[in-house]
Amino acid sequence: MQYMYPLLAIFIWAGNTVITKMSAGAIFPAEIGFYRWLLAGMLFTPFMLKPVIAHWPMIRPNLGKIFILGVLGMAVYQSLAYFAASLTTATNMGIILSLMPLMSLAMAIISLGQRLTAGALAGAVLSFAGVLVVVSSGSLGALLEHGVNLGDAMMLIATLAYAIYSTLLKKWQLRLPPLVLLYMQVWVAVLVLFPLFVISPKTGLTLQNIPLVLYACLLASMIAPLAWMQAVVRLGPSRTTLFFNLLPVITALIAAVVLHEQLAMYHLVGGMLTLGGVILSERWTTVLGRRIRVA
């Protein structure tokens, strides 16, 4: 039963990648990004006002850090994904997003003093090769000639932003309940995305796009984070993170069924290389540069 929590979160987030792709053409990126967080903030507020007031002495000195976290994890990450959706496939988005744990590990080594392991080094090379296969559509010559697809580049930047977000969460270790921290970041996203929403062209809410907004808000912004938090409590952060490796596979399957995206051989090869690199980085924990004592 305890494994249902991380699996539920991953299935919702994989579905949200497909929803993000479906939103292209149905609603402008700045609209769905703003509506999603605004609705989530409004729905959370009746339950979160008392906890926020109770924890305000701890929140106030950390407002700057909370703002940075909200910009990176909520505003930049998801907004770039919405803009990328019109330029690349949901399958590509899912595979690129699977780099996030590896990026977070690399940043932990650089900024948190975590030791470099053989798995991290080998996994980085393997995963990078996998992403190159995907973004080049299996032709490295074409990649060198034409460069990276703009949508894939946006997803790489979005994934990097979320990896920085995850690293800062570990580094700062804000002593706030996870739900309070999430709620504050939601309103940061609303504040930051409002100017973009104002100047952006608008489709408006329609019968076609309202279900997309509701999925992104209710499931991806509220239910999935709560399920993930429960998974961390029950399984621990390390075991929970392993479930993230299922994201590209589930995204590709949902995209094939819902969007009828064709899985090419380069998707399979690139996805397997990327997934293998992430798993290798997590499982091969031999520390590099360690001195060997001679008896």
Side-chain angles (χ1 to χ4, degrees):
M1 183 64 184
Q2 59 188 359
Y3 296 113
M4 292 302 297
Y5 291 102
L7 285 173
L8 175 62
I10 291 300
F11 268 98
I12 290 174
W13 282 328
N16 191 55
T17 303
V18 175
I19 290 293
T20 299
K21 178 63 180 176
M22 292 172 67
S23 71
I27 185 171
F28 283 101
E31 282 186 288
I32 187 170
F34 178 74
Y35 288 142
R36 167 190 184 171
W37 296 119
L38 178 63
L39 182 56
M42 292 171 64
L43 292 174
F44 267 134
T45 294
F47 309 100
M48 297 308 302
L49 271 182
K50 287 182 67 176
V52 166
I53 293 171
H55 289 89
W56 185 250
M58 299 174 65
I59 293 173
R60 186 173 180 179
N62 290 301
L63 282 175
K65 293 177 178 178
I66 292 171
F67 181 81
I68 292 172
L69 291 172
V71 169
L72 288 171
M74 309 295 166
V76 173
Y77 162 65
Q78 188 59 63
S79 292
L80 278 176
Y82 286 129
F83 280 98
S86 62
L87 302 169
T88 189
T89 64
T91 302
N92 276 29
M93 292 168 71
I95 292 173
I96 293 171
L97 186 56
S98 69
L99 277 178
M100 195 277 290
L102 191 62
M103 288 182 175
S104 297
L105 178 60
M107 290 178 186
I109 291 170
I110 295 169
S111 64
L112 303 181
Q114 187 168 322
R115 298 293 298 274
L116 176 64
T117 65
L121 184 59
V125 174
L126 197 61
S127 291
F128 182 68
V131 169
L132 280 181
V133 170
V134 172
V135 300
S136 67
S137 300
S139 174
L140 294 179
L143 178 64
L144 292 174
E145 183 178 351
H146 302 294
V148 178
N149 173 288
L150 181 57
D152 292 336
M154 286 182 175
M155 275 309 299
L156 282 167
I157 296 171
T159 304
L160 178 61
Y162 203 83
I164 296 172
Y165 166 82
S166 301
T167 303
L168 291 177
L169 272 178
K170 294 177 184 176
K171 184 174 183 178
W172 289 337
Q173 294 185 349
L174 303 181
R175 297 182 180 278
L176 290 169
L179 204 52
V180 171
L181 184 57
L182 173 65
Y183 175 72
M184 296 298 295
Q185 291 173 75
V186 165
W187 282 112
V188 168
V190 173
L191 178 66
V192 170
L193 293 175
F194 180 67
L196 182 61
F197 169 76
V198 170
I199 64 174
S200 168
K202 296 173 183 62
T203 303
L205 294 175
T206 66
L207 291 177
Q208 181 185 6
N209 60 40
I210 284 177
L212 306 180
V213 175
L214 290 176
Y215 185 104
C217 169
L218 298 176
L219 294 178
S221 302
M222 301 178 73
I223 302 299
L226 290 173
W228 194 255
M229 289 174 193
Q230 280 296 313
V232 171
V233 170
R234 293 166 183 266
L235 299 174
S238 298
R239 291 173 68 192
T240 302
T241 302
L242 291 174
F243 284 85
F244 203 87
N245 298 329
L246 296 172
L247 184 65
V249 178
I250 296 173
T251 300
L253 292 174
I254 296 175
V257 173
V258 177
L259 303 176
H260 306 293
E261 289 187 2
Q262 296 297 315
L263 282 177
M265 183 56 67
Y266 69 81
H267 283 128
L268 299 176
V269 173
M272 291 302 293
L273 286 172
T274 304
L275 181 59
V278 174
I279 294 174
L280 190 64
S281 70
E282 293 172 344
R283 307 302 294 179
W284 189 8
T285 57
T286 302
V287 176
L288 295 177
R290 185 169 54 189
R291 292 181 180 178
I292 302 175
R293 292 184 180 181
V294 179

